[in-house]
Amino acid sequence: MTENYDVLIVGSGAAGLYCALHLDPGLKVLQICKKELKLSNSSLAQGGIAAVVDTAHDSIQSHFQDTMIAGGFKNNPDSLGLLVKQGPEDVRRLMEYGVDFDRREDGSLHLTLEGGHSRPRILHHKDATGREIVNRLTEAVRKLPGVEVAEHAMLTKMEKTPGGFCADVLQNGRHRRVTANFCVLATGGIGRIYEYTTNSAIATGDGITLASELGAAMKNISYIQFHPTAFAADEGRERFLISEAVRGEGAILLNCNHERYMQRYDERGDLAPRDVVSQSTIRESVRTGSNRFYLDISHKPAAFIKQRFPMIYQGLLAEGYDLTKDKIPVFPCQHYLMGGIDVDLDARTSVDGLYAAGECSHTGVHGQNRLASNSLLEAVVFSRRAAEDINRRAKQGLRPAEACALPVRTEGEELPAGLRTQLRCIMQHAYFVIPNMDAIGEGLRRAREIRDLIENGSFQCTPDYIEAKSLATIACLILEEVVNR
Ligand SMILES: Cc1cc2nc3c(=O)[nH]c(=O)nc-3n(C[C@H](O)[C@H](O)[C@H](O)COP(=O)(O)OP(=O)(O)OC[C@H]3O[C@@H](n4cnc5c(N)ncnc54)[C@H](O)[C@@H]3O)c2cc1C
C-alpha cells in the first residue's frame, strides 16, 4: 500500500522541526527520524545561537564580517547576508515557541562571546542550548494536526517520479512505501565517518548519499571542521565537546609542558577561529612531539564556572575531572561539515521538489570554516525558507506524486563485519585537520572498493546496511574532492 503525503521531512533536529512549524497547516506532512526524536546533533549543541539582537552594541555588518573572516572569504555573500539579516527574527520566533535563553538580572538577554566573534552575540540556555531548542520545538510540532511524526523510521531509498518522489521508509523493521510532492532533507552531518567525533550516532551522511543518488549537485563536501577542544578521553568514539564559550569566558590552552602556545601561531591567541586553533594545535604537537594538550579555566571563581557551564562541569566530573580545579585534557576531533548538498537561497537543491536544510546542506554561509554558533542559525533560517517556498508552490495545487517499483532487498546476506571500522581508519589517516597527501590516494582506492562491495552485493536492506553505504559514499565524495582540489 502506498501512503501519499504533500511533504516528507527527513530529520527531527533543529532544521527538520523548524521547517515543519512553518509549513501551511493544510499540508499533509510526514516527518521521520531514524532513531529517537531527540537523538541528533542539534540536541548536543552547547554554546548557543549567534544573532545580532543588541543593536546598540553590535551590528549586522559586524556579524557578516566576522563570518567572512572565519570562512576565509570563501563564503557566499548573498546567503550570508540573508542569514545575518533574517536570523534575529528567527531567534525571536524561537523565543515565541518557548525557548528560554539566559537573561541578566535586569531581564535583558545574556549574550556571550565565542572564538572569532568580535562582539558578545551568542544567545544560550546555560550550556545546553540545543537541547532546549529541540525540546521546545518538539512540543510545538507535536501540536500540529497536519504533521505525523514517525520515530525509528529511516529513509532507505528514494526516486523521482512524476509530481514528486517515491520513498522507502524502514520503520521498526517494516517497509513503508511513501509518496510526497516535496521532500526536505534535514539529515545532519557526517561525523561518524571519523574515528573520533563530537557528533551523535545519527551523523552518517544518509541524506547526502540519497541526494547524490538522485543526481543532486554537491559542493565543498571536503570543508570539514575539526573542533580544537574535544575532551581527550582514553576510549569511546563520541567525544565530549568542551564549548568554545569556555575560552570565551577566559579559559586558556596549554601544551604538554603547561605553556600557552596559541600566541605563537596567531595574534588572536586562544580566541582565534576553530580551524586556526586546530591547525595550531597539530603544529604544536609536531613541535613538542606530544599529543597532550590542556584547557584551563581554574583561575575563574568555581561558583561562576558551575553556574555558567553546568552540563560541561557534570560531564567532566563523570570522567574524573573537575573543571573548577583541573587542567582538562583536550585534542581536536571532527565536529562539523560546512559543505554538502548544494542549495539556493530557498534551500532548493538542483533536483526539482527536493530541498535540503541544516548541516547536510551547503548554503555557502560558512565558507571554508564555520564561525561558532552560526549553524543553528543557518538551520532555522534556511529550513523556514524551504517551508515558505513549498507553501508558495503548493498554493498552485497539488496532485499525489506517482509511486514506483522501488525494489528493496528484504532478505539477503548480512554485511561483512569491520567495513565501517576500515572507513573510519581511512578518513582519520587521510584527512584529519590537515590532508595527508601521502595517504589520500590509497585511502580513496580502498574506500571505492568498499563502496562497490556494499552496492553490488546481495545484502539485506537494514539500517546497518544503509549507514555503511552512506559512510562509504561520503568517504569517496570527500576524498575525491580533496584529490581534485
Ligand atoms: C557537540 C556539538 C555541539 C554543537 N554546538 C553548537 C552550538 O553551540 N551552536 C551551533 O550553532 N551549532 C552547534 N553544533 C552544530 C549544530 O548542532 C548542528 O550543525 C545542527 O544542530 C544540525 O542540525 P540539523 O537539523 O541539520 O541535523 P541534526 O540535528 O543532526 O538532525 C538530523 C536528523 O536527521 C535524522 N536522520 C538522519 N538520517 C536519516 C535517515 N536516513 N532517515 C531518517 N532520518 C534520518 C536523524 O535521526 C535526526 O533526527 C554543535 C554540534 C555538536 C555535535
Side-chain angles (χ1 to χ4, degrees):
M1 194 189 77
T2 303
E3 303 167 70
N4 301 313
Y5 293 88
D6 300 320
V7 186
L8 171 64
I9 301 177
V10 191
S12 64
L17 292 167
Y18 201 67
C19 179
L21 288 165
H22 287 83
L23 287 168
D24 277 345
L27 292 170
K28 189 179 172 200
V29 181
L30 175 63
Q31 176 154 35
I32 60 173
C33 54
K34 67 179 174 181
K35 296 215 165 125
E36 296 80 41
L37 197 84
K38 293 179 185 172
L39 192 74
S40 63
N41 278 0
S42 296
S43 295
L44 295 177
Q46 298 176 346
I49 182 164
V52 175
V53 292
D54 176 8
T55 46
H57 303 98
D58 197 1
S59 70
I60 298 289
Q61 185 52 32
S62 164
H63 191 184
F64 182 94
Q65 190 63 12
D66 290 345
T67 308
M68 288 295 269
I69 292 170
F73 293 89
K74 297 266 171 66
N75 322 54
N76 175 335
D78 296 332
S79 54
L80 174 56
L82 206 146
L83 178 86
V84 292
K85 276 192 210 107
Q86 298 193 350
E89 172 56 26
D90 285 296
V91 165
R92 272 187 280 279
R93 285 190 197 186
L94 287 177
M95 290 190 261
E96 279 168 22
Y97 287 117
V99 175
D100 177 24
F101 292 118
D102 284 5
R103 290 179 181 271
R104 297 181 188 283
E105 275 178 11
D106 65 3
S108 63
L109 286 161
H110 180 268
L111 302 173
T112 194
L113 187 66
E114 288 188 327
H117 288 275
S118 56
R119 314 273 163 81
R121 64 168 72 98
I122 320 296
L123 295 95
H124 62 100
H125 177 89
K126 301 207 171 358
D127 57 355
T129 309
R131 195 170 60 198
E132 169 72 5
I133 291 177
V134 168
N135 285 347
R136 299 290 86 80
L137 296 187
T138 301
E139 283 164 12
V141 168
R142 292 274 194 209
K143 290 182 192 147
L144 298 175
V147 180
E148 174 190 333
V149 179
E151 292 182 87
H152 297 279
M154 178 185 233
L155 177 64
T156 71
K157 203 171 190 155
M158 188 159 67
E159 278 186 20
K160 186 93 188 83
T161 60
F165 300 91
C166 181
D168 175 68
V169 175
L170 179 55
Q171 185 171 7
N172 293 318
R174 187 175 74 85
H175 289 271
R176 290 172 69 178
R177 175 72 48 88
V178 167
T179 67
N181 300 98
F182 304 102
C183 174
V184 182
L185 295 171
T187 49
I190 52 109
R192 291 292 166 142
I193 190 76
Y194 277 91
E195 278 179 5
Y196 303 111
T197 177
T198 58
N199 287 192
S200 90
I202 55 88
T204 51
D206 304 2
I208 298 175
T209 301
L210 288 153
S212 88
E213 286 169 1
L214 287 173
M218 301 287 147
K219 198 157 180 196
N220 294 340
I221 189 125
S222 64
Y223 284 0
I224 295 170
Q225 182 166 78
F226 298 89
H227 198 288
T229 56
F231 174 63
D234 291 332
E235 50 194 39
R237 177 157 310 117
E238 193 171 316
R239 291 274 158 118
F240 179 71
L241 180 75
I242 303 176
S243 162
E244 211 113 33
V246 180
R247 275 177 294 134
E249 298 289 359
I252 53 172
L253 280 161
L254 303 171
N255 68 11
C256 58
N257 305 317
H258 294 190
E259 299 158 348
R260 296 184 75 169
Y261 62 93
M262 271 310 300
Q263 211 65 38
R264 207 191 313 277
Y265 301 99
D266 193 284
E267 61 185 16
R268 291 164 290 186
D270 296 304
L271 283 178
R274 287 177 182 172
D275 58 336
V276 176
V277 180
S278 289
Q279 285 164 19
S280 306
T281 303
I282 297 297
R283 287 164 67 191
E284 182 71 358
S285 79
V286 172
R287 196 185 72 82
T288 58
S290 168
N291 281 350
R292 294 221 157 260
F293 289 86
Y294 303 92
L295 189 69
D296 188 3
I297 193 171
S298 58
H299 49 281
K300 289 274 176 180
F304 165 77
I305 296 172
K306 288 184 195 169
Q307 191 276 331
R308 177 67 183 84
F309 302 111
M311 194 169 90
I312 297 174
Y313 173 74
Q314 288 300 337
L316 289 172
L317 218 49
E319 301 280 349
Y321 288 88
D322 184 339
L323 186 64
T324 66
K325 295 188 189 131
D326 297 329
K327 294 180 177 47
I328 310 298
V330 291
F331 200 65
C333 81
Q334 192 285 340
H335 183 53
Y336 183 77
L337 176 68
M338 273 76 66
I341 310 163
D342 197 30
V343 294
D344 68 8
L345 298 182
D346 289 319
R348 286 183 289 215
T349 72
S350 60
V351 175
D352 185 34
L354 183 68
Y355 294 73
E359 195 168 340
C360 68
S361 69
H362 169 271
T363 60
V365 298
H366 306 299
Q368 65 182 20
N369 175 50
R370 173 179 68 110
L371 182 62
S373 289
N374 268 353
S375 47
L376 284 171
L377 192 69
E378 181 199 34
V380 294
V381 168
F382 287 92
S383 68
R384 168 183 54 76
R385 292 184 64 86
E388 289 168 353
D389 196 61
I390 291 171
N391 294 341
R392 273 192 293 275
R393 291 177 70 182
K395 283 206 173 71
Q396 292 159 15
L398 294 177
R399 278 184 308 154
E402 282 183 26
C404 67
L406 208 64
V408 285
R409 212 182 287 274
T410 52
E411 287 177 3
E413 295 169 40
E414 272 184 35
L415 214 56
L419 294 181
R420 289 181 180 218
T421 310
Q422 284 186 52
L423 288 164
R424 287 191 290 264
C425 185
I426 290 169
M427 292 306 290
Q428 196 74 27
H429 284 98
Y431 184 23
F432 176 67
V433 183
I434 300 167
N436 175 354
M437 294 320 282
D438 294 335
I440 281 187
E442 175 54 20
L444 177 56
R445 191 197 60 74
R446 182 61 191 139
R448 281 180 174 149
E449 244 173 40
I450 296 175
R451 182 192 58 191
D452 293 349
L453 171 85
I454 295 173
E455 282 182 355
N456 300 328
S458 318
F459 303 112
Q460 188 183 343
C461 176
T462 61
D464 184 40
Y465 170 79
I466 294 299
E467 290 190 348
K469 182 156 79 74
S470 288
L471 292 177
T473 308
I474 300 293
C476 293
L477 288 172
I478 292 172
L479 296 180
E480 277 160 9
E481 194 178 273
V482 179
V483 167
N484 293 332
R485 213 177 260 285

